[in-house]
Amino acid sequence: MARKSMHGEWSSRWAFVLAATGSAVGLGNIWKFPYITGENGGGAFVLVYLACIVVIGIPVMMAEIMLGRRGRQSPINTMYDLAVESGHNPNWKWLGWLGVLAGFLILSFYSVVAGWSLAYIFRSATGVFTGATADGVESLFLDRFLAHPETLLFWHTLFMAMTIIIVARGVKSGLESAVKFLMPTLFLLLLVMVGYAMSQGEAFMQGLEFMFRPDFSALTWGGVLTAMGQAFFTLSLGMGAIMVYGSYLSHTASISRTTFTIAAADTGVALLAGIAIFPIIFANNMEPSAGPGLIFISLPLAFGHMPGGVLFGSLFFVLLSFAAWTSSISLLEPVVTWLVETFNLRRITATLYAGIVTWLLGVASVFSFNEWAFEFEFAGVVKENGIFDILDILTTNIMLPLGGLFIAIFAAWFMSREASRDELGLGDGMRYNLWRFLVKFVTPAAILLVFLNMLGII
Ligand code: PFF
């Protein structure tokens, strides 16, 4: 079977690797990973997260790319066609729906945080952080920024507009070359930040210890669920983003090699971000469990005290905004491909509709940090930002793992062995059998185990 994509193909395997890495590396790595690691006690959480990347993330990513390439449409129509073709229930299309809905919900709050990053480019460039104290940067963030919904709304709107423009033009033009230069630069800059963290003496070791010495008494089942959710979120899995990108992938590219490259780059960036941030937190007696503001408080403090801080600071937030941009493009893409296929809309029209509705929902997250803020407890962690936190927990910890569970089940139990073997190109030996064993038993069992534990059933 060789279906052709109505949306075109990547120019090479590398174009796909770059775009998928662009999707994977984003706020999830640099903003979210450090703050949830801080909230969940450090080392043990990191260990569970890494285990989830290996036994759940990598096999599911291979499955998701494979389904995308075989179906070559939006997640909804791909799941429908693949199910019907192999003689199964067309209701598998609901898996596509779950993904498209998750993407839309995630983008609504993702764009708000990406807006913070845009705002911080300008704040860094004007030198307001130079020489600032820990209390100073905190107040700049909480009182002079988050407390003002109109400011957050402005940056959220700007970021959504940037995303709409790129998606409307078709994701492939421009994405490739941009990712090629900016991703390595982001990596280098993170190394500079790690260098600065090393200069913090004692605190550097304290940071490393916090991240890498597992203390399992600090980890709850809620923390395990959060670590698993983060593995999905950071690799862009479980909602069809990678499935759509896979649908533009040529038949000759190796899915397994591609997956390893993406997962390695993504994990590397997250760990570097943590290594750069925690020493700064400890050196300044700040709280690792400060929540979503963590990097917007700790990094400006570092930029304010390092040589060349104005330049490095602005550059850092430029790159972070860019990483967020390439991720948000992949969040909007599944909705848009579906609208184009189903209603025959022009790409521009479809993107505008989807973008505006997402923007509107994003307003709820804007107000979550000020007027509508309320607290609640989730799995032992106090969350302070009402709707924003609810949307995050609902998508990251529930919808994405659920999507991943069904993707694994479909790929291993419903697709024929021949079909997945041909598509993955791993031959019929040990490597293929290992993948099949993981998606067939290990991934579903692990996800179910965490879910059931959370629900208090086991
Ligand atoms: N992986 C992105 C990040 O870590 O920032 C976020 C994301 C993008 C999640 C695309 C899900 C997705 F489909």
Side-chain angles (χ1 to χ4, degrees), residues 50 80 82 113 192 215 273 275 298 319-320 349 351 357 361 424:
L50 290 175
Y80 179 88
L82 291 184
V113 180
V192 171
D215 166 12
I275 297 173
S298 58
L319 294 168
L320 181 60
T349 322
T351 314
V357 178
L361 182 64
L424 288 178

Side-chain angles (χ1 to χ4, degrees), residues 132-406:
T133 60
D135 286 344
V137 282
E138 193 176 78
S139 142
L140 272 172
F141 182 67
L142 297 178
D143 310 329
R144 305 255 306 270
F145 188 63
L146 281 198
H148 299 279
E150 68 290 349
T151 313
L152 302 193
L153 191 62
F154 170 80
W155 294 107
H156 162 54
T157 309
L158 181 65
F159 186 81
M160 251 343 272
M162 287 165 52
T163 304
I164 290 174
I165 289 170
I166 298 291
V167 177
R169 292 176 50 206
V171 287
K172 289 181 295 299
S173 54
L175 193 62
E176 197 175 330
S177 48
V179 177
K180 204 154 49 194
F181 292 107
L182 292 162
M183 284 291 155
T185 321
L186 178 65
F187 213 79
L188 278 182
L189 208 65
L190 277 173
L191 288 178
V192 171
M193 296 306 295
V194 170
Y196 177 79
M198 285 172 135
S199 73
Q200 302 292 299
E202 272 286 277
F204 182 64
M205 290 317 291
Q206 233 178 317
L208 286 187
E209 235 170 68
F210 180 74
M211 270 185 75
F212 296 112
R213 173 169 296 169
D215 166 12
F216 281 93
S217 67
L219 191 67
T220 59
W221 272 102
V224 175
L225 177 68
T226 308
M228 181 175 83
Q230 173 66 4
F232 282 97
F233 187 89
T234 192
L235 293 175
S236 307
L237 294 180
M239 57 140 283
I242 290 292
M243 198 184 280
V244 173
Y245 277 9
S247 75
Y248 314 144
L249 184 64
S250 99
H251 262 289
T252 52
S254 154
I255 290 183
S256 55
R257 257 191 307 154
T258 307
T259 299
F260 284 119
T261 315
I262 301 165
D266 187 79
T267 310
V269 171
L271 293 179
L272 280 183
I275 297 173
I277 286 161
F278 286 112
I280 301 171
I281 307 275
F282 291 116
N284 294 285
N285 295 319
M286 296 165 129
E287 277 301 320
S289 59
L294 192 69
I295 68 157
F296 293 93
I297 296 172
S298 58
L299 290 181
L301 189 61
F303 293 131
H305 292 269
M306 64 202 265
V310 170
L311 177 70
F312 282 137
S314 331
L315 189 60
F316 177 85
F317 286 110
V318 167
L319 294 168
L320 181 60
S321 306
F322 182 80
W325 199 20
T326 52
S327 299
S328 63
I329 290 167
S330 75
L331 283 163
L332 193 53
E333 184 66 14
V335 192
V336 172
T337 37
W338 175 74
L339 287 172
V340 170
E341 282 164 14
T342 311
F343 300 104
N344 236 336
L345 293 181
R346 285 167 60 215
R347 207 179 160 82
I348 293 208
T349 322
T351 314
L352 266 179
Y353 284 157
I356 290 172
V357 178
T358 315
W359 173 85
L360 204 62
L361 182 64
V363 176
S365 285
V366 162
F367 284 113
S368 300
F369 293 93
N370 34 66
E371 317 289 332
W372 302 351
F374 62 85
E375 271 184 16
F376 64 97
E377 196 177 302
F378 174 75
V381 176
V382 179
K383 298 282 181 181
E384 294 176 349
N385 306 109
I387 297 178
F388 166 86
D389 282 319
I390 292 174
L391 284 174
D392 177 27
I393 291 169
L394 176 71
T395 51
T396 311
N397 294 355
I398 298 167
M399 294 173 85
L400 298 186
L402 207 58
L405 173 68
F406 284 110

